[in-house]
Amino acid sequence: MLRFQNGKDFLNKQTLTLPINQFRYGQIIFPCHLGIISIGNVSTSMLNKLRFYLDQTFDSFFFDIQFIEDTKLHPDTFELKVKEEHNLLNKSSEKVLLQPTNKFYEIIVDKKFKYNFDIGLGLTNLPIYSSSNENLLFLFGEAHIKHMCAIVSTHNLIDLFNLEDFKLKKIERRIYKEAVHEIGHLILDCGHCLNDYCVMRFSKNIKEIDRKSIYLCEKCKLKLEKVRARDNF
Ligand SMILES: [Zn+2]
Ligand SMILES: [Zn+2]
């Protein structure tokens, strides 16, 4: 589920010093540099297409989109704070191990500083739960405004009980929508949109992701233009 998380410091063990010129508090000056980091086993064949959709939706908001592939969760921390749960979304009787989102944020923030990204988006095949609200299990994705990073998990974007779902294009499209959605949170700094077809609509299941488009509605586009006017580009 695409929960919008704001104002909580998941990374309280780390004190992050942000370069003053580049950042206002919790805010980036656009256009900026986006890094996409694949964590775990993520097919990288779709990355160029993802870049295309991000460019299409957030036209000229990124002067560069860079991919960092094959990042892994450290084996020492893999078992830390995992939750073993039944996956009700997939109606499966088997339990799955869910990873807390802050593990991913730590990796993404680290890469952000290493490669000078302003925004970091992680893509993972691992199932995730929210570190800020441990009742939010099996998320599709989450954004962390303060650290300007987001994570999208592909784990629940495949409906194992629907054969149609094994069509890769369909699954990829969901991943693109979720990635655009989380980046939308980071740029627009806003909650969810009520327009059924807007990519900023909150989706509680795959069906709802399939129903919405990959694009911003007119109202959200206006918000985007306000950010563009603010940063004068
Ligand atoms: Zn959301
Ligand atoms: Zn909208």
Side-chain angles (χ1 to χ4, degrees), residues 44-56 67 169 172-173 176 180 214:
T44 49
S45 60
M46 61 187 182
L47 291 179
N48 281 324
K49 197 100 189 255
L50 176 57
R51 187 209 304 264
F52 168 82
Y53 283 116
L54 288 168
D55 274 339
Q56 200 176 45
F67 302 122
K169 271 192 182 162
E172 283 185 358
R173 207 162 166 83
Y176 304 143
V180 168
I214 200 162

Side-chain angles (χ1 to χ4, degrees), residues 38 40-47 69 123 125 154 168 172 175:
S38 66
N41 297 320
V42 181
S43 151
T44 49
S45 60
M46 61 187 182
L47 291 179
E69 292 167 25
L123 291 177
N125 62 314
T154 61
L168 198 59
E172 283 185 358
I175 298 170

Side-chain angles (χ1 to χ4, degrees), residues 15-233:
T15 323
L16 301 166
T17 355
L18 303 175
I20 291 159
N21 293 339
Q22 216 169 351
F23 291 86
R24 300 173 197 147
Y25 175 75
Q27 210 179 58
I28 278 172
I29 296 172
F30 294 97
C32 76
H33 188 190
L34 170 69
I36 300 177
I37 301 121
S38 66
I39 305 165
N41 297 320
V42 181
S43 151
T44 49
S45 60
M46 61 187 182
L47 291 179
N48 281 324
K49 197 100 189 255
L50 176 57
R51 187 209 304 264
F52 168 82
Y53 283 116
L54 288 168
D55 274 339
Q56 200 176 45
T57 307
F58 305 111
D59 172 38
S60 67
F61 269 72
F62 303 112
F63 57 76
D64 192 17
I65 299 177
Q66 199 180 329
F67 302 122
I68 306 293
E69 292 167 25
D70 287 331
T71 310
K72 300 270 178 263
L73 281 188
H74 198 277
D76 292 349
T77 62
F78 193 88
E79 302 252 307
L80 269 179
K81 295 209 81 180
V82 288
K83 273 178 190 275
E84 201 183 354
E85 297 285 340
H86 286 292
N87 188 350
L88 297 175
L89 284 179
N90 261 343
K91 304 154 204 137
S92 156
S93 55
E94 274 175 41
K95 284 195 164 183
V96 243
L97 290 182
L98 295 134
Q99 297 284 349
T101 46
N102 65 357
K103 274 192 205 175
F104 297 93
Y105 294 141
E106 281 183 23
I107 293 174
I108 299 164
V109 167
D110 184 62
K111 300 284 183 207
K112 267 181 65 185
F113 280 85
K114 190 170 170 192
Y115 294 97
N116 241 333
F117 300 147
D118 302 300
I119 293 183
L121 168 70
L123 291 177
T124 186
N125 62 314
L126 297 165
I128 56 174
Y129 72 88
S130 173
S131 298
S132 66
N133 180 348
E134 300 204 1
N135 295 319
L136 299 181
L137 302 169
F138 295 103
L139 296 173
F140 295 135
E142 189 179 68
H144 190 303
I145 302 288
K146 191 175 168 194
H147 294 296
M148 274 292 155
C149 57
I151 178 77
V152 167
S153 164
T154 61
H155 186 267
N156 284 310
L157 296 173
I158 308 163
D159 183 350
L160 297 174
F161 290 81
N162 185 349
L163 285 181
E164 267 285 292
D165 255 61
F166 286 93
K167 288 182 182 162
L168 198 59
K169 271 192 182 162
K170 215 169 170 184
I171 298 162
E172 283 185 358
R173 207 162 166 83
R174 290 174 190 149
I175 298 170
Y176 304 143
K177 283 181 193 176
E178 293 322 281
V180 168
H181 179 98
E182 297 308 336
I183 296 292
H185 278 317
L186 297 177
I187 295 181
L188 302 170
D189 194 9
C190 67
H192 290 118
C193 180
L194 294 175
N195 184 318
D196 279 346
Y197 304 103
C198 178
V199 73
M200 292 314 295
R201 171 107 192 171
F202 167 73
S203 315
K204 63 176 182 300
N205 52 43
I206 284 176
K207 232 176 160 179
E208 291 186 9
I209 298 176
D210 288 344
R211 193 172 58 168
K212 71 183 178 185
S213 78
I214 200 162
Y215 306 109
L216 296 171
C217 69
E218 290 307 314
K219 223 170 146 185
C220 291
K221 270 187 199 160
L222 269 178
K223 287 181 195 161
L224 193 71
E225 289 316 308
K226 275 189 188 160
V227 178
R228 196 192 298 278
R230 181 198 75 194
D231 290 355
N232 203 18
F233 70 99

